[in-house]
Amino acid sequence: MDLDRQRVLRDAIQVLIRNWHGHATVPSRSLYPHQWSWDSAFIALGLQHVSPRRAALELLSLFGAQWADGRIPHIAFNPAVPDEAYFPGPSFWRSGDRAGHPPIATSGIIQPPVHAIAAAAVSDGLGADGPAFAARAYPALVTQNDYVRRHRTLGRLAALVHPWETGLDNSPAWDAPLHAVPADLSLFDTYTRRDLHHARGSERPTNEDYARYIRLALAYRDCGYDDAIAQSSAEFLVVDPGFNALWAWSELALAALARSIERDPEPHLAEAARITAAMVEELWSSERGLFLAKDARSGRLLPERSVAGLVPLLLPGLPADVVRVLRQTLAGDCFRGQDGVRGVPSFDLTDPRYDPRRYWRGPTWLNTTWLVAVGLETHGDAQLADRLKADIVALVVKAGMREYFDPRTGSGHGTSSFSWSAALLVHILAGR
Ligand code: 9WN
C-alpha cells in the first residue's frame, strides 16, 4: 500500500474511533450527533475490518431502536446529547407518545434499508460467532422489510412521505413535489435550524425547503405515524428508485443470512424478483436512460436524472438491455462523460440545477458512488467499478473524510470527519 493510502487508512480508522460513542457511531460529532439508520449500515461495512464486534454492536444497537410495527427509525437519539444539539430532536418527534415505541427516543420516519447487506457481511467476518449474530439480526431485518411491504407500499413499490426518507434529501428530483408543499417560514418562530451552526448555508438546503421538511414531519407526527392516514392525506408521496432498489437488494442479503442459519431463502429471493420486476415496469425510462422517481400523488414519473436512478444496477435480475442502457448513461455526459469527473455525481451535470457544492444537488457522495461500483461488479464490469473505487480513494487523499465532494475539482464540502466516508474508504482499502 502506498504512503497516501496508509495515511488515509489511519485517518479513517481514527474518525471511526472518535465518532464511536460506546455502542454506535455518530455520522459527525458536530452536524449529526446521534445514530442515523442508513449511515450505521455503511459504517458497519467499514467497521468490520477494524473490529467485527463493534460492527455487530453498531447494527444490534440500531435494531434496539426498532418500533413494534417493524420500522427502523432514521435517527436513534443518544440520551446523553442535549435536545437542542440537533434539530429536529427528540422533543420534536415525540416517539414516546406512540404505543409500541422503543426504549429510547427516535425519529418516526425511515431511511433506505441497507442494513441486511451490512449484517450479511458482518456475519461472514465474525467467523464462529457469525451464526449467533445472524440469528439475532435476521428477525429484526425481516420485520424491517415486512413493515415496508405491509405499511409503505402503494401498489407494488414502497412510497416515502418525506425527502429525508430517501437519504438523498435535497435532490432536485424532489423539487416539483416538494415545492407543491407550502413553505411556512413562520415555523422558524418556533423551530431553529441547527445545521447552519455547523455547515455553510450555501451547502445546505434553503430555508424555504427546510420549512417544507418541518411541515411534512409535523404532519406525519400529528397523525400518530399512522401510514394509512399519512398516505391518504400526504402532501408529499414519492416512489424512489434508490430506496426500492436497496429494498430488493436487502432481500437478496436476507436470503444469504437465512441460509446461514438454516432458514428458507426462497421467500426472500421471490420478493427481490418481485420488486425488481415492478421497478422495471413502473420506474424504468428508456428515453431518459435510467430509473426515475414517481410522484405517487399525480402518478407521474419525475424526469430528473439522479444517482438514485443508477443504484438499481445492484440488482442481478435486471434485463440485459436495461443494464446496457444504464451503463451508457453512467458513462455519458450526465454523469461520468465529462473530463475530470470523479466518482458518480449525485445529480445530472447537464441540468441547470446541478450544483457541485450543495448537498445532494450535484456533489459526489461516497456511499452512492460505492453502491454504483458494486452494481457494476454485479454485472461484470470490474474495470469501471475499480475506477470508481480509485476515485473514492483519490477524493479522500486530496480532501479528507468530507461529507461530499465537488465532482470536478475534488474539493471537500459539508461536514468533516464524516463516518460513512471513513468507513467506505476502509472497506475499499480492504479490497471490497
Ligand atoms: C436528515 C446523516 C444524514 C444522512 C442523510 C443526509 C443528511 C439529515 C440532515 O445526513 O440528512 O436525515 O439533517 O440533513 O442527507 O442521507 O443519513 O449523515
Side-chain angles (χ1 to χ4, degrees), residues 201-271:
S202 61
E203 297 177 6
R204 295 285 303 173
T206 61
N207 269 344
E208 282 71 18
D209 284 349
Y210 227 87
R212 296 181 173 106
Y213 297 155
I214 298 171
R215 179 182 170 100
L216 291 173
L218 283 173
Y220 193 39
R221 180 196 77 184
D222 291 343
C223 73
Y225 301 110
D226 180 313
D227 290 306
I229 302 176
Q231 285 187 351
S232 62
S233 59
E235 290 185 321
F236 178 94
L237 196 60
V238 298
V239 180
D240 171 33
F243 185 105
N244 279 283
L246 292 170
W247 178 30
W249 196 38
S250 74
E251 287 290 344
L252 296 175
L254 277 178
L257 273 176
R259 270 190 216 100
S260 76
I261 51 172
E262 289 166 21
R263 299 285 191 87
D264 183 6
E266 285 308 320
H268 299 301
L269 297 174
E271 184 67 345

Side-chain angles (χ1 to χ4, degrees), residues 303-327:
E304 285 81 4
R305 292 188 182 94
S306 92
V307 65
L310 300 171
V311 167
L313 268 174
L314 288 164
L315 304 175
L318 287 184
D321 55 329
V322 167
V323 174
R324 184 178 49 76
V325 175
L326 278 174
R327 285 168 61 180

Side-chain angles (χ1 to χ4, degrees), residues 107-275:
S107 68
I109 56 172
I110 57 174
Q111 274 189 326
V114 219
H115 312 85
I117 289 93
V122 168
S123 168
D124 283 349
L126 278 169
D129 294 333
F133 167 74
R136 285 182 70 187
Y138 180 75
L141 293 162
V142 169
T143 324
Q144 176 188 26
N145 280 8
D146 277 353
Y147 165 75
V148 174
R149 187 171 44 79
R150 291 185 23 233
H151 296 287
R152 290 309 197 88
T153 48
L154 272 184
R156 296 178 295 169
L157 295 173
L160 304 172
V161 296
H162 198 293
W164 289 339
E165 294 199 308
T166 69
L168 276 62
D169 313 0
N170 198 27
S171 170
W174 314 134
D175 284 357
L178 188 65
H179 292 171
V181 176
D184 176 4
L185 294 179
S186 74
L187 284 167
F188 294 116
D189 297 343
T190 313
Y191 303 113
T192 308
R193 287 181 70 166
R194 304 288 173 186
D195 58 327
L196 299 179
H197 298 181
H198 306 289
R200 289 171 191 223
S202 61
E203 297 177 6
R204 295 285 303 173
T206 61
N207 269 344
E208 282 71 18
D209 284 349
Y210 227 87
R212 296 181 173 106
Y213 297 155
I214 298 171
R215 179 182 170 100
L216 291 173
L218 283 173
Y220 193 39
R221 180 196 77 184
D222 291 343
C223 73
Y225 301 110
D226 180 313
D227 290 306
I229 302 176
Q231 285 187 351
S232 62
S233 59
E235 290 185 321
F236 178 94
L237 196 60
V238 298
V239 180
D240 171 33
F243 185 105
N244 279 283
L246 292 170
W247 178 30
W249 196 38
S250 74
E251 287 290 344
L252 296 175
L254 277 178
L257 273 176
R259 270 190 216 100
S260 76
I261 51 172
E262 289 166 21
R263 299 285 191 87
D264 183 6
E266 285 308 320
H268 299 301
L269 297 174
E271 184 67 345
R274 180 192 73 74
I275 301 166

